[in-house]
Structure formats: structure tokens, C-alpha cells
Amino acid sequence: MNNPDAYYQRSEVSNSDLTALKELLHPRPVFGDREAAFRFGSIVDAIITEPSRVDFLHMTIDGEPVNEDEFLHAREMQRALRAEARHDPFLAKVLQCAETQRYMVNKAQEFENGGFQFTLDTRCKWDWWLDAPHFGGDLKTCAAATQKEFEDAVDFFDWDRSRAWYMDIAKSDKDFIYAISKKNCNIFKLFINRGDAIYSRGREKYEDLAFKYWCFAL
């Protein structure tokens, strides 16, 4: 399933570009079917944050048919998120009010590595963006069955790096992740503040990769 959004053809550096560089420099074993996991995550994202792309009756996205089992599983996860929102006022407000798939671009964003300063043109695209309080967040699907497993995944998959990257492009001081378990449809959540341990760990990760990206781009 290919997202037709022109955002993905833009030339600025994204967090996904940093991920690709990390995988090139530090390859590690891949467990499970990575392409299938990415495809399923894209289905869930579309159903929850871009329903205009989805034909729910015919189970297609952008006119392309989706595997029925995956589509029905994604719908089950969507219902779990909505059910969570009934007793989570913040999530209810996000689902009601947030702008979805908002992208931002920073030209010549400033970075520093060991006292050396450089710039990169950067970009990001938010699953959810709240304009008035000026912060946003991310929707994830995960294989975690518990909150602890989810928090371990935040570090393992560098979701902390992603959130720090987005926060610094937007110059926001808060961020959040809501994750839906593919195993049991449990909802996990994480709230991030500028300067806390998760933000600091993520920023350290992206600053290292951004410098290497800048070096490779010379």
C-alpha cells in the first residue's frame, strides 16, 4: 500500500531518513516480517487518522484492496482506541480536535555535535497536532502486551528519538504516544516533556545520527 501524499517525496531530512542511515551503519537482525508489520501499521494509521482515504464498505485504501483479516483487525484496534477515549478525557480531546497528518518543515535547522555546529533542512509529519497548546503526538501499533513491554519498545525502536525530533522541529515542549497492542488491543500511553529522560535520550540519539547524515551528505 503506497501513500500518495507528496510529503514522502520531499527532500528535507526526516526521522525515517535517520533510521535508514542507522540501519546502514549498524545493521542488526530483523525479527518477524518487517514489511508486513509496516503495511499493517499503515492500514491502522489510515483508518484512524486519514479515514477519507478509506472505503470501509469495500475494504480499500486509496482504491487498493486490503487483506480482509488485516482490515478487520485494524478496525478492532480502532474500536479499542475509541473505547479508551470514553474514560481518557485527553485522548477524547485528541480524537475530536487534533489536526491529523500535519507536516512541518524547518529550513537550515541548527544542530551541534561536540561543539561543532551545522544545519540541515528537516521535516516531520504528525499523526496528531493540537494547534492551540502547540504540541502533538504519535499513534503506534506494537507487539507489546504490557506497559513495560511498550516502554521497552520505545527505546528499542527509537520512538524516543522520533518524538524529540518532532518536538524540536515544532519547538514544542510536550509530546505523547498512544500505542495499540496487536496482541490484545490494550492501549498504552506515554507523555513526554522537554528536558525529561525520554526527550533527552531521544535528542542524544538524533544529534548523533544528524551529524553522521550531514557528513555523508558532504
Side-chain angles (χ1 to χ4, degrees), residues 126 129 134-136 166-168 170-175 194:
W126 298 83
W129 175 255
H134 195 77
F135 69 90
Y166 279 53
M167 289 171 72
D168 286 352
K171 297 181 173 59
S172 60
D173 292 328
K174 295 180 180 296
D175 200 274
R194 178 173 295 277

Side-chain angles (χ1 to χ4, degrees), residues 59-193:
M59 291 188 285
T60 65
I61 298 177
D62 301 320
E64 298 180 17
V66 176
N67 176 277
E68 181 178 0
D69 288 341
E70 290 184 320
F71 193 90
L72 294 176
H73 189 190
R75 288 282 277 162
E76 181 184 7
M77 293 168 71
Q78 179 195 30
R79 286 191 289 271
L81 191 69
R82 287 176 172 174
E84 181 74 16
R86 295 191 194 110
H87 53 83
D88 181 335
F90 177 73
L91 176 58
K93 185 65 70 174
V94 167
L95 295 180
Q96 178 184 3
C97 300
E99 181 180 352
T100 57
Q101 303 303 317
R102 164 83 168 268
Y103 81 83
M104 297 180 181
V105 171
N106 262 0
K107 295 296 185 180
Q109 183 171 336
E110 296 181 353
F111 296 85
E112 182 176 328
N113 184 278
F116 178 77
Q117 296 182 337
F118 61 99
T119 63
L120 291 171
D121 294 341
T122 61
R123 64 185 162 106
C124 67
K125 190 176 185 187
W126 298 83
D127 285 334
W128 292 303
W129 175 255
L130 297 159
D131 210 36
H134 195 77
F135 69 90
D138 201 19
L139 170 67
K140 293 292 186 188
T141 60
C142 64
T146 66
Q147 179 73 22
K148 174 64 166 61
E149 290 177 359
F150 160 65
E151 292 179 7
D152 289 343
V154 170
D155 181 29
F156 183 82
F157 292 110
D158 294 328
W159 295 342
D160 48 2
R161 186 190 76 213
S162 165
R163 304 330 305 152
W165 180 259
Y166 279 53
M167 289 171 72
D168 286 352
I169 289 177
K171 297 181 173 59
S172 60
D173 292 328
K174 295 180 180 296
D175 200 274
F176 60 91
I177 303 173
Y178 277 88
I180 313 172
S181 171
K182 292 181 283 189
K183 288 185 177 179
N184 55 21
C185 285
N186 281 354
I187 307 299
F188 308 115
K189 58 196 80 174
L190 189 65
F191 297 93
I192 304 160
N193 293 289

Side-chain angles (χ1 to χ4, degrees), residues 12-56:
E12 300 89 2
V13 183
S14 69
N15 179 66
S16 295
D17 294 325
L18 299 186
T19 297
L21 177 61
K22 179 183 176 181
E23 291 174 350
L24 178 67
L25 296 175
H26 308 290
R28 63 186 181 189
V30 176
F31 301 100
D33 189 334
R34 183 173 176 176
E35 289 188 6
F38 180 79
R39 182 183 66 249
F40 182 70
S42 298
I43 293 169
V44 175
D45 273 356
I47 286 175
I48 294 175
T49 70
E50 297 181 279
S52 62
R53 296 173 55 206
V54 184
D55 182 330
F56 290 90

